[in-house]
Amino acid sequence: MSPTPQALGPVRPAAVVNEEIRALVKAAGGWLYGESRQRYVLLVTEWTEAVAIEHRRGEIVETV
C-alpha cells in the first residue's frame, strides 16, 4: 500500500491535489474501484489537510 500523504513530507497545494483527484475520477469514468478508490481516498485526505493548512495561513483563494 502507498504511504499516507503525511508520510510523504510537506503537503502539496490543495489546487494541485484537486486536479489530481479530478483527473483520477475522469480517467475512471466516474467509477472508482480497488486501487483507484484507495488512491482517491488518500488524495481526498491529502486535499483536506492542504485546505486546512492553507486556510490557517490565509492562502485560500476562492474559485468559481
Side-chain angles (χ1 to χ4, degrees):
M1 185 172 181
S2 300
T4 63
Q6 295 82 5
L8 296 175
V11 176
R12 297 181 293 161
V16 171
V17 180
N18 187 42
E19 285 305 313
E20 193 170 333
I21 291 169
R22 289 174 181 267
L24 177 67
V25 172
K26 184 176 179 180
W31 300 95
L32 299 169
Y33 297 102
E35 288 183 25
S36 62
R37 178 66 182 178
Q38 291 173 345
R39 179 71 182 141
Y40 173 80
V41 170
L42 289 173
L43 287 169
V44 169
T45 301
E46 181 182 0
W47 177 83
T48 302
E49 183 178 344
V51 168
I53 290 169
E54 290 172 10
H55 182 72
R56 283 193 302 267
R57 292 179 182 166
E59 297 174 2
I60 296 295
V61 177
E62 296 295 323
T63 60
V64 178

